């Protein structure tokens, strides 16, 4: 039966139809998350056009309440809070995204290399990674950033290297599962080099769990960057980013002024949105490597 | 005629499928199945995968696996339709009056609890008997089933007994609460051939002594012929043929049954001249991690355009031999010659031609192909890698290879998941063939396939050998396959070669003890074979 069933070509739907079909199966929580991500991405990309005021522009008094001109009020220096929030989205998401991409580049390449080669290569890479992971991330970052000059790209690099340790772990584990499959052995017996094995045999099969991990790491990067900025070692003023904005406005809370809550809420909303989507992706890929349970 | 214990009438079972790119829909997986079973009798349900035999077996417990619904018909147990019972009614039947023996005993036992507790659990929980009485009965059953040290066997944990013993313990578990009916779902399929026969004999004796009714599900007609009174042949969820075992085996009426009965008959005459060699392995020792030695002084030679079959049970070292030849496991001693030249022991030291001329086919075709590559990429890669073919030339050659393995048009763009089991194995063969090898190592290429599909693959392999002159190093545990295709045979046992030579010589008495055990353990398709073999065997199986 199977022979016959497989020989009948499956009827394929149009691209739009398939997209609709996929969207229909998306659970409401994931839709909410997708909407949240799109919302923030929109402001991040179109900040220069949608922000009502400039990011450094002082437009009113200190900590003015919300009004028709300033929807969210003004901050500790009298700058428009909503404009800074929008510009802050741009910078926060850019730094977090760049750091996560870099972290994945480093982590995946090294993780796959460790899994494919095994032996002492694996030992050196894995133990080195353990060494980095043994030191609390935030403290390590604080030490490094205090020593190095405060520069946006150094900040990205530091976050990326620290995040890469986590990416290394998961990509090594996923790849180790795939490496023992017969098709990888077949490629080895064919005489393929490790470049082909990593990019053509392993990567396509590791993609689902890695995409989910990417979302998760991105959310962590946002939180990490915010924490660094809050402590004064991340993005430097007067440039706006969410963590920095919380620090700038935190003293207002004593006087009952909620200006620090808006960037705080934005950080939380973005992190939650990403997590909602990631949960859905993880459940969808339950049958593949890295999935966890049905749903 | 005695009162029927189980009377299944017009059973119909449906399931919802969710194919990609298509809306979900219902399919009928079992349609219009009727049979009756008397107390103390055994009905064999036989068919290939997807025939619905396990689904029917579980319906006798009023159970449907995830997503499966029993939508029509009746399952009468002693005159009561169990499909109409409520949850508590069904619960009082399952385990107590109808028991189930699964294929994988290792997965069915809780590794953290003693066997005795698990064997008696159902009987005690259902209140059929008290704990001490149940233990007493379990000890009796262990004895009937031929388990060693029956009085203390129940004190062991599952990992302390062999696979064949575990399977018998599961039979004891099913029999313990004195059920009226047992459903055996492929109880011997996962076992080695020499172990299978002991389990089969134990099950048969236990059924006779307890006078329980049984449904025996398997894909192996020769096995079912040994234990069943009646046989029902199933295909695609429909009945093909139903009748007394003797009639089905000896005078099958339907074409499909006839093909099943005649499966794997000789496909090839043994080659006369076996003096030449494309591959020779001389005095090879091999060990994993320098500690566990797996191969001891192994020597083989494969003549050109011929098939050498390496036979043995799991753990005999036959797959390790393949790893040594491919270079994945460099031997600790000995020498390998290929096509007149010395083959470097390590994979990394071999030339591209060494690699190209030595190809491999795996047992599990679905994990031997990258699920994210199309058939075109899978077959095309060796063409590009070894011969530098690209574009039109590659496309044309891929199509040629697809024609050679008898695949219909339009398969080049498919992914492995869109192929059936037999088609997957064919694509793997095409990938090996693309390299224009001198030798293909076949590691149990047919043992995961249904008998008729496996037959097709073997025929294809033989035709390709005749066309291209390729040699096979064919690793298998299945003597029937060996009989059908081999020119010469090597029998392996615990890492050593115990017997080798041309097929006619190896398969002709006098045998050594192990070869005798191995050959006599292969079920033959005739009634009464099991009893005969048990009387005449020289050596006990290792699992005993």
């Amino acid at each position: 039966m199977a022979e016959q069933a497989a020989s009948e070509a499956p009827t394929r739907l149009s691209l739009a139809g398939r997209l609709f079909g996929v969207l229909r199966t998306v659970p409401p929580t994931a839709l909410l998350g997708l909407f949240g991500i799109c919302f923030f991405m929109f402001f991040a990309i179109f900040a220069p056009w949608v922000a009502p005021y400039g990011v450094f522009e002082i437009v009113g008094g200190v900590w003015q309440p919300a009004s028709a001109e300033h929807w969210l009020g003004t901050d500790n220096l009298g700058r428009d809070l909503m404009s800074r929030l929008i510009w802050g989205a741009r910078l926060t998401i850019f730094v977090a995204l760049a750091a996560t991409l870099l972290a994945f580049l480093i982590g995946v390449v090294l993780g796959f290399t460790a899994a494919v080669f095994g032996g002492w290569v694996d030992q050196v890479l894995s133990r080195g990674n353990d060494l980095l992971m043994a030191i609390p991330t935030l403290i390590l970052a604080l030490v490094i950033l205090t020593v190095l000059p405060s520069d946006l790209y150094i900040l990205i690099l530091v976050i990326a290297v620290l995040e890469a340790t986590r990416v290394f772990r998961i990509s090594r584990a996923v790849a180790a599962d795939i490496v023992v499959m017969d098709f990888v052995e077949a490629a080895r017996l064919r005489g393929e080099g490790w470049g082909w094995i990593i990019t053509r045999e392993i990567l396509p099969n590791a993609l689902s769990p890695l995409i989910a991990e990417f979302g998760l790491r991105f959310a962590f990067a946002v939180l990490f960057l915010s924490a660094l900025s809050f402590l004064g070692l991340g993005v430097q003023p007067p440039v706006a980013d969410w963590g920095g904005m919380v620090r700038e406005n935190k003293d207002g809370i004593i006087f009952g002024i909620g200006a620090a809550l808006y960037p705080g809420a934005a950080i939380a909303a973005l992190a939650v949105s990403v997590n909602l989507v990631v949960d859905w992706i993880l459940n969808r890929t339950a049958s593949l490597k890295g999935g966890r349970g049905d749903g | 005629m005695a009162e029927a214990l189980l009377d299944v009438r017009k059973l119909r079972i449906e399931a919802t499928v969710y194919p990609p790119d298509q809306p979900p829909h219902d399919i009928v997986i079992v349609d219009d199945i009727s049979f009756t079973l008397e107390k103390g009798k055994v009905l064999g349900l036989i068919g290939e995968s997807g025939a619905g035999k396990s689904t029917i077996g579980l319906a006798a417990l009023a159970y449907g696996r995830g997503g499966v619904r029993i939508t029509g018909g009746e399952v009468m147990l002693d005159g009561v339709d169990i499909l109409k019972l409520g949850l508590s009614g069904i619960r009082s039947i399952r385990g107590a009056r109808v028991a189930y023996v699964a294929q994988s005993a290792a997965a069915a036992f809780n590794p953290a609890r003693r066997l005795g507790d698990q064997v008696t659990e159902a009987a005690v929980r259902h209140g059929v008997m008290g704990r001490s009485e149940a233990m007493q009965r379990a000890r009796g059953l262990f004895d009937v089933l031929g388990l060693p040290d029956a009085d203390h066997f129940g004190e062991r944990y599952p990992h302390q007994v062999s696979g064949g013993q575990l399977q018998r313990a599961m039979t004891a578990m099913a029999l313990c609460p004195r059920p009226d009916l047992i459903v055996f779902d492929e109880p011997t399929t996962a076992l080695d051939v020499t172990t299978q026969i002991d389990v089969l004999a134990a099950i048969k004796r236990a059924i006779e002594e307890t006078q329980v009714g049984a449904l025996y599900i398997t894909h192996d007609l020769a096995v079912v012929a040994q234990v069943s009174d009646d046989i029902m042949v199933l295909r695609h969820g429909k009945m093909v043929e139903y009748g007394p075992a003797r009639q089905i085996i000896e005078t099958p009426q339907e074409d499909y049954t006839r093909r099943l009965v005649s499966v794997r008959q000789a496909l090839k005459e043994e080659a006369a001249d076996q003096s030449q060699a494309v591959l020779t392995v001389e005095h090879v020792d091999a060990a994993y991690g320098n500690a566990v030695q797996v191969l001891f002084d192994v020597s083989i030679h494969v003549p050109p355009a011929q098939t050498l079959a390496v036979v043995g049970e799991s753990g005999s070292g036959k797959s390790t031999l393949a790893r040594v030849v491919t270079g994945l496991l460099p031997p600790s001693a000995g020498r390998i010659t290929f096509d007149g030249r010395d083959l470097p022991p390590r994979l990394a030291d071999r030339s591209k031609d060494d690699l190209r001329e030595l190809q491999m086919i795996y047992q599990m075709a679905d994990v031997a192909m990258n699920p994210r590559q199309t058939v075109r990429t899978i077959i095309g890669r060796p063409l590009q890698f070894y011969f530098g073919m690209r574009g039109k030339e590659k496309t044309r050659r891929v199509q040629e290879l697809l024609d050679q393995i008898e695949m219909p048009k339009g398969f080049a763009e498919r992914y492995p998941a869109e192929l059936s089991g037999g088609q997957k194995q064919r694509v793997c063969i095409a990938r090996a063939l693309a390299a224009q090898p001198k030798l293909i190592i076949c590691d149990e290429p047919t043992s995961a396939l249904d008998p008729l599909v496996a037959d097709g693959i073997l025929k294809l392999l033989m035709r390709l050998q005749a066309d291209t002159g390729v040699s096979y190093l064919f690793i298998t545990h299945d003597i029937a396959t060996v009989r059908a295709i081999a020119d010469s045979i090597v029998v392996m046992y615990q890492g050593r070669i115990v017997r080798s030579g041309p097929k006619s010589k190896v398969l002709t008495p006098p045998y050594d003890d192990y070869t005798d055990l191995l050959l006599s353990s292969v079920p033959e398709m005739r009634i009464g074979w099991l009893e005969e073999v048990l009387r005449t065997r020289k050596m006990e199986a290792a699992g005993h």
Side-chain angles (χ1 to χ4, degrees):
Chain A
M1 168 163 100
E3 299 257 359
Q4 288 168 2
S7 62
E8 287 159 27
T11 50
R12 295 187 192 273
L13 303 174
S14 68
L15 189 68
R18 283 164 73 175
L19 191 67
F20 178 74
V22 168
L23 275 182
R24 217 178 35 174
T25 62
V26 177
T29 49
L31 271 182
L32 189 70
L34 278 174
F35 175 76
I37 292 171
C38 292
F39 177 81
F40 285 114
M41 287 307 280
F42 172 79
F43 284 109
I45 293 166
F46 298 104
W49 296 280
V50 292
Y53 301 94
V55 63
F56 310 129
E57 203 177 338
I58 294 174
V59 291
V62 171
W63 284 330
Q64 278 180 353
S67 64
E69 294 97 80
H70 309 295
W71 288 5
L72 299 179
T74 57
D75 74 352
N76 62 330
L77 295 178
R79 294 168 295 193
D80 181 54
L81 202 57
M82 195 170 94
S83 300
R84 280 184 71 78
L85 210 53
I86 290 169
W87 283 98
R90 195 179 166 90
L91 192 68
T92 306
I93 291 177
F94 165 70
V95 172
L97 205 59
T100 315
L101 282 170
L102 194 57
F104 265 73
L105 194 69
I106 302 169
V108 168
V109 168
L110 292 183
F112 282 7
T113 308
V116 169
F117 284 98
W120 66 266
V121 177
D122 184 20
Q123 287 298 326
V124 168
L125 288 171
S126 294
R127 295 300 82 78
N129 191 58
D130 286 350
L131 205 65
L132 270 183
M133 287 183 85
I135 308 167
T137 325
L138 194 57
I139 294 179
L140 188 60
L142 288 180
V143 171
I144 299 171
L145 288 173
T146 319
V147 177
L148 295 175
S150 63
D151 176 85
L152 202 58
Y153 295 99
I154 289 180
L155 181 67
I156 291 173
L157 192 69
V158 169
I159 298 177
V161 168
L162 292 174
E163 293 266 287
T165 56
R166 271 74 186 173
V167 180
F168 173 87
R169 271 210 165 172
I170 191 164
S171 46
R172 183 188 164 276
V174 171
D177 269 0
I178 301 172
V179 152
V180 295
M181 299 271 211
D182 286 344
F183 64 83
V184 180
E185 190 181 302
R188 276 187 180 170
L189 290 182
R190 203 187 302 138
E192 301 280 6
W194 67 281
W196 170 280
I197 289 180
I198 285 180
T199 56
R200 307 304 285 278
E201 306 288 349
I202 295 179
L203 187 61
N205 291 292
L207 224 44
S208 298
L210 287 183
I211 286 171
E213 181 66 12
F214 185 87
L216 223 49
R217 294 264 64 97
F218 172 72
F220 275 115
V222 169
L223 294 175
F224 195 48
L225 170 68
S226 302
L228 287 174
S229 296
F230 181 81
L231 294 172
L233 283 162
V235 178
Q236 297 302 312
V239 182
D241 88 301
W242 292 345
M245 288 173 68
V246 174
R247 187 194 58 219
E248 290 159 9
N249 294 299
K250 68 176 194 307
D251 295 337
I253 294 192
I254 304 167
F255 309 112
I257 291 158
L261 299 183
Y262 296 115
I267 295 168
L270 181 58
V272 168
S273 298
V274 170
N275 270 295
L276 288 175
V277 176
V278 165
D279 265 353
W280 166 62
I281 296 176
L282 275 180
N283 279 338
R284 258 176 59 94
T285 58
S287 61
L288 296 164
K289 303 274 159 305
R292 45 168 196 196
D294 50 352
Chain B
M1 190 174 131
E3 175 74 16
L5 167 67
L6 180 71
D7 189 356
V8 172
R9 293 174 197 159
K10 294 197 173 302
L11 185 65
R12 182 183 170 89
I13 301 176
E14 292 177 55
T16 310
V17 290
Y18 302 88
D21 309 342
Q22 284 174 57
H25 56 91
D26 288 357
I27 54 163
V28 179
I29 52 177
V30 169
D31 192 17
D32 193 23
I33 297 292
S34 306
F35 58 84
T36 59
L37 178 67
E38 289 164 33
K39 223 172 163 43
K41 297 282 185 194
V42 180
L43 170 67
L45 296 177
I46 166 144
E48 55 199 41
S49 47
K53 47 195 196 303
S54 288
T55 311
I56 295 171
L58 288 170
L61 289 90
Y63 179 73
R65 279 200 180 129
V68 166
R69 297 179 308 277
I70 302 172
T71 50
E74 295 168 333
V75 177
M76 312 287 281
L77 185 69
D78 267 341
V80 180
D81 186 357
I82 61 169
L83 297 182
K84 294 205 172 60
L85 290 178
L87 205 57
S88 66
I90 289 177
R91 199 173 287 151
S92 70
I93 284 174
R94 285 184 190 160
R97 294 193 56 208
V98 185
Y100 179 74
V101 177
Q103 172 173 353
S104 170
F109 274 100
N110 181 343
R113 295 183 58 206
R114 290 176 198 279
L115 288 172
D117 295 338
Q118 301 189 55
V119 167
T120 54
E121 187 177 19
V124 176
R125 295 272 299 177
H126 280 289
V128 179
M129 55 188 84
R131 199 181 137 74
S132 55
E133 191 192 342
M135 279 296 184
Q136 191 66 40
R137 180 167 165 77
R139 280 193 284 272
L141 287 168
F142 290 152
D143 192 40
V144 170
L145 287 160
L147 286 165
D149 192 13
D151 283 348
H152 300 287
F153 184 80
E155 289 162 23
R156 301 196 202 173
Y157 286 97
H159 69 271
Q160 293 172 319
V161 305
S162 72
Q165 290 171 347
L166 210 52
Q167 197 68 51
R168 276 178 276 176
M170 188 150 68
T171 308
M173 176 157 74
L175 283 166
C176 191
R178 294 204 185 89
D180 301 313
L181 175 69
I182 297 190
V183 179
F184 291 97
D185 195 351
E186 307 249 16
T188 63
T189 308
L191 302 173
D192 262 325
V193 59
T194 55
T195 317
Q196 154 169 313
I197 165 167
D198 289 317
V199 175
L200 211 55
I203 287 176
K204 182 163 185 172
R205 189 162 65 241
I207 290 173
E208 273 160 15
E209 290 204 4
T210 54
Q211 280 299 299
V212 68
L215 287 178
Y216 197 101
I217 297 162
T218 178
H219 67 275
D220 190 339
L221 195 54
V223 164
V224 90
Q226 308 313 320
V227 292
S228 303
D229 300 288
D230 292 324
I231 292 177
M232 176 182 272
V233 182
L234 295 157
R235 196 180 195 200
H236 309 339
K238 293 196 173 63
M239 189 191 83
V240 176
E241 195 164 355
Y242 175 37
R246 186 171 292 277
Q247 180 249 308
I248 298 278
I249 301 295
E250 287 169 8
T251 54
Q253 305 297 310
E254 297 295 322
D255 182 51
Y256 179 67
T257 318
R258 267 199 290 274
R259 277 161 61 204
L260 278 184
V261 171
S262 66
V263 87
R264 239 166 290 175
Q265 290 179 339
L267 295 170
K268 193 177 172 201
E269 287 295 307
E270 178 185 317
D273 177 21
Q274 302 191 354
S275 54
Q276 305 284 312
V278 62
L279 174 83
T280 46
V281 173
E282 290 164 278
H283 308 295
V284 156
D285 290 348
Y288 284 110
N290 293 327
V292 194
Q293 191 169 354
V294 202
L295 294 182
F296 303 86
D297 191 29
V298 170
S299 301
I300 59 170
H301 82 280
V302 188
Q306 293 183 26
T307 304
L308 170 72
V310 180
V311 200
E313 292 176 86
S314 46
S316 62
K318 55 192 195 303
S319 290
T320 306
L321 178 61
R323 290 179 69 81
V324 167
V325 174
T326 55
L328 286 169
L329 179 72
S332 49
R335 151 164 191 247
I336 305 169
T337 325
F338 182 61
D339 201 25
R341 58 185 189 264
D342 264 343
L343 206 55
R346 279 159 40 86
L347 182 65
D349 302 332
R350 294 191 180 176
S351 72
K352 215 166 178 179
D353 267 351
D354 290 339
L355 299 173
R356 179 178 69 74
E357 292 179 349
L358 192 81
Q359 291 289 313
M360 177 131 182
I361 305 172
Y362 295 84
Q363 173 174 7
M364 307 301 279
D366 20 0
V367 289
M369 290 185 288
N370 190 335
R372 302 295 166 103
Q373 290 176 356
T374 58
V375 169
R376 177 200 300 286
T377 315
I378 291 168
I379 302 179
R381 179 60 190 170
L383 295 174
Q384 189 181 336
F385 187 78
Y386 293 125
F387 305 111
M389 285 189 196
R390 281 171 195 284
K392 275 214 177 86
E393 192 192 9
K394 188 165 100 176
T395 309
R396 188 186 49 77
R397 182 76 183 120
V398 167
Q399 190 52 52
E400 256 174 42
L401 286 161
L402 283 174
D403 292 342
Q404 235 177 333
I405 56 166
E406 298 154 13
M407 293 273 273
K409 298 277 177 220
F411 269 74
E413 300 310 324
R414 292 221 184 164
Y415 286 93
E418 295 169 323
L419 305 175
S420 71
Q423 288 167 341
K424 282 179 196 163
Q425 198 56 280
R426 280 167 194 265
V427 171
C428 286
I429 293 172
R431 176 176 64 184
L433 221 53
Q436 300 182 359
K438 290 209 165 71
L439 176 75
I440 301 182
I441 300 175
C442 309
D443 191 357
E444 306 245 15
T446 55
S447 44
L449 300 172
D450 285 317
L452 290 179
V453 179
D455 234 31
I457 296 287
L458 293 178
K459 284 189 180 123
L460 173 70
L461 284 173
M462 290 304 104
R463 216 203 60 224
L464 292 173
Q465 185 166 63
D467 291 353
T468 65
V470 65
S471 305
Y472 299 125
L473 177 63
F474 199 101
I475 294 165
T476 183
H477 66 273
D478 184 10
I479 308 289
T481 305
V482 173
R483 278 212 176 91
I485 64 159
D487 293 292
S488 46
I489 299 176
V490 162
V491 181
M492 289 190 72
Y493 182 58
Q494 294 182 349
R496 288 185 173 82
I497 290 181
V498 294
R499 195 174 167 92
S500 63
K503 172 166 70 175
S504 53
K505 198 179 125 237
V506 170
L507 296 182
T508 314
Y511 302 126
D512 58 288
D513 287 358
Y514 180 70
T515 308
D516 175 64
L517 172 72
L518 197 63
L519 291 180
S520 69
S521 300
V522 182
E524 281 172 29
M525 218 163 294
R526 60 192 165 87
I527 313 281
W529 165 84
L530 182 62
E531 289 75 8
E532 214 172 277
V533 158
L534 291 174
R535 275 199 310 274
T536 56
R537 263 192 332 177
K538 287 193 220 163
M539 177 178 166
E540 287 283 319
H544 203 79

